[in-house]
Amino acid sequence: MILPTKGIPADRALLTIGAQIIKELDEPSTVSGLWHLVRLDRSRTEEYTPLTFDWFVLALDLLFAVGAIRMGPANTIRRAT
């Protein structure tokens, strides 16, 4: 689930989705804004795999747990420094 396995392809692993989230966090963003950016970025690839909101939230949880992101002012998400 966190890492790719025989049953979970690399583009569905939470670590991959988390990397895509971090890539989109040049500026602090709301959850809904970040959700839109990540889905838009994923739709531009040739091997597009739809991302459900629950997997997106699990990836956010993983990033919070490892200290890669944090909450900013006005309920925005930002990279941890």
Side-chain angles (χ1 to χ4, degrees), residues 54-81:
D54 59 337
W55 277 90
F56 174 76
V57 171
L58 284 172
L60 281 178
D61 289 343
L62 174 67
L63 292 174
F64 274 115
V66 299
I69 60 175
R70 62 185 175 93
M71 292 298 292
N75 292 327
T76 57
I77 297 174
R78 56 182 31 209
R79 289 183 189 180
T81 54

Side-chain angles (χ1 to χ4, degrees), residues 5-43:
T5 63
K6 186 174 15 173
I8 298 176
D11 63 337
R12 297 243 326 136
L14 293 179
L15 196 60
T16 305
I17 298 169
Q20 292 169 341
I21 290 171
I22 292 289
K23 184 176 83 170
E24 297 297 335
L25 276 175
D26 292 333
E27 296 291 325
S29 179
T30 62
V31 172
S32 58
L34 195 55
W35 164 243
H36 174 72
L37 290 173
V38 170
R39 286 184 50 204
L40 185 63
D41 184 50
R42 287 176 64 92
S43 68

